[in-house]
Amino acid sequence: MTAIPSFTGDAHPYGGGDPYADYRTADFPFTQYADLADRRLGAGVIAANDEFFAQRENLLVPGRAEFDPEHFGHKGKIMDGWETRRRRGASAEHPWPAAEDHDWALVRLGAPGVIRGIVVDTAHFRGNYPQAVSVEGTCVEGSPAPEELLGDDVKWTTLVPRTAVGGHAANGFAVAVEQRFTHLRVNQHPDGGIARLRVYGEVVPDPAWLTVLGAFDVVALENGGQVEDASDRFYSPATHTIQPGRSRKMDDGWETRRRRDQGNDWIRYRLVAQSRIRAVEIDTAYLKGNSAGWASVSVKDGEDGEWREILSRTRLQPDTNHRFVLPEPAVGTHARVDIFPDGGISRLRLFGSLTDQGTTRLAARHQELGG
């Protein structure tokens, strides 16, 4: 496996110009997965012990952190992140924080799942970032209050041990714990600021909930669907196509660069489990002069199954939601949308239900992961 680059120490003080010019980052191997802490999935920072300088909710704001060198308030410099006050020791004889002193924030994941990697981003925190961070996870069903999560009966599992980090940097950590988590506790030692938190992994839904729903979107991210691969991610991630809700602007969908050959673009998905698909929805919302011209949808059953077309190549209209009822249900574990020749779609919905085999396998995995 590729080694995860690590950063430590202060960044240079801001000297003007582009604040990201000296930002330290890397390509982390786990960012192919969905962000389980995405606000669009329902994630939230539900509590923190301190947020004196900058509020905890900034941790999950979409997009990179912004920096305004002239933006000050009554409490000091206003930062786009979560920032706590400076910790002090117990007395004049020992004015320094104790080794165990730290600040914490509780994060509810938008969708429970297995975590493959975490990014603790300290962008613009150059001399006021934490010396080290650690992250723990737990699985508590329902909607527990912060005080319940902090109770002695809740078991927390270490995902990222206490590790030194760098200022103004994307600090990435691979996670190898094969377990389902619903909440995280993010610790900064002893204090400081974190701009953004990203939690990459695979959604593991509650089989009982999906069984009660009956018919649902079997490729939706929140239900356990995921993007396996795509021909092009030039303008926006393919994962956008299975996010909750309708697209709200052009870059909230999937758009490819302009092709200059005779090929076409595509996305390949893994469904939540083996499913019986009855209807297809392809939305091109906010894609007006750059929507796909035509699209087709195919499915296969199993990794070694043969692809079979369930929606033949069909003309698409810009900024339009297209709905298709299939003449007969299609059974499969994977799906693929092909667009011709290029362009984009904002959402793909595959409505159906789990087969008996799909229900059994999903329940088994849920149990194996501690759900």
Side-chain angles (χ1 to χ4, degrees):
M1 181 175 176
T2 305
I4 303 295
S6 60
F7 308 103
T8 56
D10 294 348
H12 295 297
Y14 176 63
D18 179 7
Y20 274 102
D22 60 341
Y23 176 65
R24 295 175 285 179
T25 188
D27 290 328
F28 301 117
F30 46 74
T31 56
Q32 61 179 299
Y33 296 100
D35 181 7
L36 303 183
D38 194 321
R39 283 287 300 172
R40 290 170 294 185
L41 286 174
V45 187
I46 61 176
N49 72 306
D50 187 292
E51 47 186 330
F52 185 85
F53 285 114
Q55 61 190 23
R56 64 183 191 260
E57 288 86 358
N58 288 336
L59 283 173
L60 307 187
V61 170
R64 67 181 191 175
E66 301 298 329
F67 181 72
D68 182 351
E70 304 299 325
H71 197 191
F72 287 84
H74 290 293
K75 293 182 179 180
K77 181 73 184 71
I78 295 176
M79 297 293 289
D80 184 9
W82 168 50
E83 185 181 6
T84 66
R85 71 194 82 196
R86 299 187 189 214
R87 282 184 170 269
R88 300 299 186 219
S91 66
E93 289 70 32
H94 200 285
W96 309 280
E100 67 274 12
D101 286 348
H102 68 278
D103 292 318
W104 53 265
L106 293 178
V107 177
R108 179 191 64 241
L109 297 179
V114 178
I115 297 169
R116 302 303 184 192
I118 296 173
V119 174
V120 178
D121 191 345
T122 58
H124 315 305
F125 290 95
R126 295 168 176 269
N128 52 348
Y129 59 95
Q131 181 184 39
V133 300
S134 61
V135 182
E136 302 159 278
T138 190
C139 183
V140 179
E141 297 301 336
S143 305
E147 53 269 25
E148 294 176 281
L149 291 169
L150 296 172
D152 294 337
D153 60 333
V154 174
K155 177 186 176 182
W156 291 89
T157 300
T158 298
L159 305 179
V160 178
R162 184 169 175 168
T163 306
V165 295
H168 196 44
N171 300 277
F173 307 93
V175 177
V177 180
E178 202 69 18
Q179 188 176 328
R180 182 178 183 265
F181 295 100
T182 60
H183 295 77
L184 300 185
R185 183 162 60 189
V186 181
N187 306 302
Q188 47 178 339
H189 309 266
D191 54 40
I194 299 171
R196 296 287 189 268
L197 175 74
R198 304 296 185 233
V199 183
Y200 296 98
E202 301 174 61
V203 176
V204 180
D206 181 354
W209 175 252
L210 297 183
T211 298
V212 169
L213 290 181
F216 59 92
D217 182 1
V218 298
V219 76
L221 182 59
E222 61 187 324
N223 293 332
Q226 61 180 285
V227 169
E228 286 194 328
D229 200 2
S231 61
D232 187 291
R233 298 178 176 89
F234 189 82
Y235 286 113
S236 46
T239 301
H240 281 180
T241 60
I242 53 175
Q243 286 280 4
R246 294 200 70 197
S247 175
R248 298 182 179 180
K249 52 182 181 171
M250 188 177 74
D251 67 350
D252 191 20
W254 173 61
E255 182 188 356
T256 72
R257 74 191 81 194
R258 300 189 186 207
R259 277 191 170 268
R260 304 305 186 193
D261 58 19
Q262 299 300 305
N264 75 284
D265 289 314
W266 51 266
I267 306 174
R268 188 176 73 244
Y269 305 89
R270 183 192 301 170
L271 309 183
V272 55
Q274 189 188 64
S275 304
R276 188 172 288 105
I277 302 166
R278 296 180 174 86
V280 175
E281 194 172 281
I282 301 175
D283 196 353
T284 59
Y286 291 96
L287 295 163
K288 298 183 178 181
N290 49 359
S291 67
W294 292 262
S296 65
V297 177
S298 303
V299 300
K300 71 174 183 176
D301 192 22
E303 294 288 346
D304 300 324
E306 295 290 330
W307 288 105
R308 61 191 187 283
E309 198 171 67
I310 63 172
L311 179 70
S312 60
R313 192 178 305 186
T314 302
R315 187 76 169 97
L316 300 182
Q317 299 300 321
D319 195 28
T320 300
N321 194 21
H322 310 77
R323 290 176 172 171
F324 309 94
V325 176
L326 301 183
E328 58 183 31
V331 174
T333 57
H334 296 71
R336 171 177 167 137
V337 61
D338 285 85
I339 63 170
F340 302 88
D342 55 23
I345 60 174
S346 61
R347 296 289 188 270
L348 174 72
R349 306 297 187 206
L350 301 177
F351 294 104
S353 56
L354 297 180
T355 63
D356 290 342
Q357 181 186 114
T359 299
T360 299
R361 290 188 176 179
L362 184 62
R365 183 165 187 252
H366 185 263
Q367 186 174 14
E368 288 169 5
L369 296 171

